[in-house]
Amino acid sequence: MVKRKICVVTGSRAEYGLLYWLMKEIQQDEEMNLQIIVTGMHLSPEFGLTYKIIEEDGFNVDEKVEMLLSSDTSVGIAKSIGLGIIGFADALERLKPDLMVLLGDRYEILAAAQAAMVAKIPIAHIAGGDTTEGAYDEAIRHSITKMSHLHFVTNEEAAKRVRQLGENPKHIYNVGSPGLDQINRLKLLSRSEVERSLDFKLKDKNLLITFHPVTLDDQPALRQFHELLDALDSLGADVGLIFTKPNADSDGRILIKMIDDFILSHPNAKAYNSLGQLRYLSTISHVDAVVGNSSSGLYEVPSFKKPTVNIGDRQKGRLQASSVINTEPIKEEILKTIHLAFHLDCSNVINPYGDGSSSNRIVKHLKEIRDYKLLLKKHFFEVNVK
């Protein structure tokens, strides 16, 4: 039997965490040959050279596509996309995969999708159909959907949106979020193990904070993040603050410097380039709330029965559990919402993004399709939208 080559692309630590168990399932399947391309932040010393974590996890990295420029301006990011397309074109010519698997909505993934489309490589896209009105990720995600041939969505609302984009209903699968697979399969660290791993003593109350740049908001990321830091400062030294640093988006480096400066004057706070999935999920299980504007606050955190303080519009439009509390990026509002989160009962929260069996479902559907090349010629499917 000739194994089919399934190429998975990952460009960030968070994305890799979502893809981990799917990659394991493909790696262990006797009908498939896993290929891995790493790009973006994985290859940046500034963001921790996280491709090494992938290798330590027992995966072979087949190709590295360097595309990040040192600039995080809009011009720098646009040029990075161009470099990515060139790099992916060369990598795909060498690997010649039968199918490419992409997740999400980052600009690195857009570059991979464009190269695969022109190379006539069918694309399976995970997490299409979601909405994030506060970031240009929204347009990127829908663009990747139109370049893709198989759609593994995380919820039924997302499936409806993909159908509205004219995609074949037979190739739209509601599999849930693959990020929940980690929660079901990992043995999480105890409180003392988290403290040792982080080299940080947890307080009576603790917050996990991740704030990414907002790319479409009228209020600059710098100003929004300043409001958040002022709110955190007002909590006092009795609240432990654990920061994970932001993505390599526009103004990302400015936010990183602001975090570093904040840490210097706050002994109750510590920051990390990358926690990795085990430490990240374990930390969620031992803090009192997650604060910021990361999609993880909507996807994974509700499964821990913990509240999410979701700031601003970056995740606006996404399906939300009852444990998610939205707030404006204003100091007083953020502070009020954090105190509300400290007292919120999340014991009966249901995560709307599935049951943690996404990876199994995706591999099952991939194996049901005998010839991926037949997917390339797409027909626009009209739907009645009232």
Side-chain angles (χ1 to χ4, degrees):
M1 176 190 297
V2 177
K3 291 187 174 185
R4 292 192 286 180
K5 295 179 287 186
I6 310 297
C7 181
V8 177
V9 177
T10 174
S12 71
R13 63 185 189 264
E15 174 191 72
Y16 169 62
L18 301 178
L19 288 167
Y20 174 86
W21 283 109
L22 175 60
M23 291 163 63
K24 280 293 182 187
E25 295 273 354
I26 295 172
Q27 185 185 51
Q28 294 167 4
D29 194 281
E30 60 184 16
E31 297 179 19
M32 297 179 175
N33 178 27
L34 175 66
Q35 297 176 328
I36 298 173
I37 301 178
V38 298
T39 188
M41 291 187 292
H42 282 310
L43 304 176
S44 169
E46 183 179 3
F47 294 98
L49 290 173
T50 47
Y51 80 88
K52 294 181 179 179
I53 296 174
I54 299 174
E55 294 178 332
E56 290 168 4
D57 285 342
F59 294 111
N60 178 63
V61 173
D62 296 279
E63 292 281 347
K64 299 174 183 175
V65 175
E66 293 275 9
M67 60 178 288
L68 278 190
L69 298 178
S70 59
S71 167
D72 61 0
T73 65
S74 58
V75 173
I77 288 173
K79 289 181 178 179
S80 291
I81 294 173
L83 289 174
I85 295 172
I86 295 169
F88 279 111
D90 290 335
L92 294 176
E93 176 63 21
R94 288 188 288 268
L95 294 179
K96 294 182 168 53
D98 297 300
L99 181 79
M100 175 180 276
V101 176
L102 303 175
L103 184 145
D105 52 22
R106 287 192 53 78
Y107 61 84
E108 301 96 331
I109 303 308
L110 176 63
Q114 291 179 78
M117 177 185 66
V118 175
K120 298 180 184 177
I121 296 169
I123 299 171
H125 184 213
I126 301 170
D130 284 348
T131 60
T132 47
E133 297 175 17
Y136 53 52
D137 300 2
E138 165 99 350
I140 291 176
R141 186 186 303 106
H142 295 331
S143 298
I144 295 172
T145 290
K146 290 308 301 178
M147 288 185 270
S148 299
H149 307 84
L150 300 174
H151 308 278
F152 298 111
V153 301
T154 63
N155 60 88
E156 185 52 40
E157 289 301 312
K160 290 178 182 177
R161 294 190 191 100
V162 174
R163 287 196 290 271
Q164 282 182 264
L165 287 168
E167 295 302 294
N168 189 340
K170 291 197 307 182
H171 296 150
I172 303 170
Y173 310 95
N174 182 2
V175 297
S177 172
L180 304 189
D181 294 22
Q182 285 278 25
I183 299 170
N184 281 356
R185 301 195 197 194
L186 280 179
K187 183 180 185 301
L188 299 180
L189 302 176
S190 67
R191 184 182 179 94
S192 61
E193 288 171 332
V194 166
E195 290 180 328
R196 284 196 299 272
S197 181
L198 297 181
D199 190 25
F200 181 79
K201 182 66 175 176
L202 294 172
K203 308 287 187 179
D204 289 337
K205 293 285 187 183
N206 300 277
L207 299 173
L208 178 59
I209 305 124
T210 306
F211 190 90
H212 296 299
V214 283
T215 52
L216 288 181
D217 216 311
D218 292 334
Q219 187 178 5
L222 174 106
R223 189 182 309 164
Q224 293 193 21
F225 195 50
H226 193 278
E227 295 286 325
L228 171 57
L229 293 180
D230 280 351
L232 296 174
D233 178 69
S234 298
L235 292 171
D238 292 334
V239 177
L241 306 174
I242 302 166
F243 289 85
T244 61
K245 292 186 177 179
N247 289 332
D249 294 318
S250 300
D251 297 331
R253 288 174 177 84
I254 297 174
L255 301 191
I256 290 172
K257 185 179 186 306
M258 292 174 70
I259 292 173
D260 291 339
D261 291 343
F262 184 87
I263 297 296
L264 289 175
S265 59
H266 292 78
N268 61 317
K270 197 159 184 179
Y272 304 85
N273 286 329
S274 174
L275 289 177
Q277 281 300 292
L278 177 59
R279 288 200 302 172
Y280 178 73
L281 295 175
S282 298
T283 301
I284 292 174
S285 70
H286 295 293
V287 298
D288 297 277
V290 172
V291 177
N293 60 8
S294 170
S295 60
S296 177
L298 280 65
Y299 278 132
E300 289 94 56
V301 175
S303 292
F304 289 90
K305 313 296 183 183
K306 297 292 178 82
T308 296
V309 175
N310 182 53
I311 300 171
D313 290 341
R314 190 171 189 270
Q315 302 301 332
K316 186 177 180 181
R318 279 198 201 271
L319 188 64
Q320 298 185 358
S322 59
S323 54
V324 178
I325 318 170
N326 298 298
T327 183
E328 293 297 317
I330 300 168
K331 172 188 172 181
E332 291 77 14
E333 295 299 316
I334 295 171
L335 196 57
K336 182 171 66 176
T337 309
I338 290 174
H339 284 298
L340 176 61
F342 281 152
H343 298 94
L344 186 67
D345 180 7
C346 299
S347 57
N348 294 319
V349 166
I350 297 173
N351 194 324
Y353 289 100
D355 58 4
S357 300
S358 174
S359 299
N360 287 330
R361 294 188 181 108
I362 291 172
V363 169
K364 174 179 175 290
H365 291 307
L366 290 180
K367 293 174 71 171
E368 288 171 347
I369 298 170
R370 302 319 306 169
D371 188 350
Y372 297 135
K373 287 293 184 185
L374 295 179
L375 300 170
L376 286 172
K377 290 186 177 181
K378 292 171 59 173
H379 172 72
F380 192 98
F381 283 77
E382 301 285 353
V383 294
N384 292 321
V385 181
K386 297 181 180 178

